[in-house]
Amino acid sequence: KEMLSANKSSLMIVEEVFEYKDHTLNISREQFEEKCSHLFNRVKKPVETLLSLSEINLKDINFVEILGGSVRVPKIKQLIEEATSKKASMHMNGDDSMAMGASFMAANYTSSSKVKAI
């Protein structure tokens, strides 16, 4: 996944897989996407569910920022862009974003501080 996110093909090596023999396989990004198509087909559903539950119209969304380990996979970015009709960006640091979100959530649950609703 990581190698094919940055390259069109990659050599995979599994050492001593059977009877102390190594197994090598050259796989292209297209082959990877085909073999994982059943997983890629599940990407759009959470986006569609989120939009439905939030009752937000796509035209009210200015941009889409995606975070997480798999967002660097070109196919996932493509599917999210198709589901939202927006160009997806990956500018935010995932760790910082999660920590900031967690701190805002914690502040909302405490009585010792106030967080302005936006």
Side-chain angles (χ1 to χ4, degrees):
K1 173 186 92 172
E2 293 174 10
M3 292 299 293
L4 292 173
S5 294
N7 302 292
K8 297 264 187 210
S9 65
S10 177
L11 180 66
M12 297 174 47
I13 302 170
V14 181
E15 296 177 358
E16 297 181 9
V17 69
F18 181 69
E19 295 181 353
Y20 302 103
K21 294 183 180 176
D22 296 346
H23 179 72
T24 61
L25 169 71
N26 193 10
I27 186 167
S28 69
R29 185 183 295 164
E30 291 79 22
Q31 290 171 316
F32 172 76
E33 290 175 357
E34 181 181 320
K35 299 232 184 267
C36 297
S37 64
H38 65 287
L39 298 171
F40 288 130
N41 291 335
R42 298 170 26 188
V43 170
K44 289 184 181 181
K45 180 88 170 122
V47 175
E48 293 164 352
T49 301
L50 175 69
L51 290 169
S52 174
L53 291 174
S54 67
E55 298 177 359
I56 295 175
N57 194 322
L58 270 175
K59 65 180 179 190
D60 297 329
I61 297 174
N62 295 326
F63 64 92
V64 174
E65 183 76 28
I66 52 178
L67 302 167
S70 293
V71 299
R72 301 220 186 280
V73 177
K75 185 69 172 180
I76 290 182
K77 184 178 178 191
Q78 173 195 339
L79 292 170
I80 290 174
E81 288 174 346
E82 288 173 5
T84 61
S85 302
K86 307 282 182 191
K87 180 145 176 63
S89 63
M90 301 178 296
H91 296 101
M92 298 173 69
N93 179 302
D95 294 335
D96 292 349
S97 300
M98 301 300 174
M100 184 69 78
S103 64
F104 281 127
M105 288 299 293
N108 279 325
Y109 288 112
T110 184
S111 59
S112 62
S113 65
K114 288 191 173 203
V115 178
K116 182 180 174 185
I118 51 172

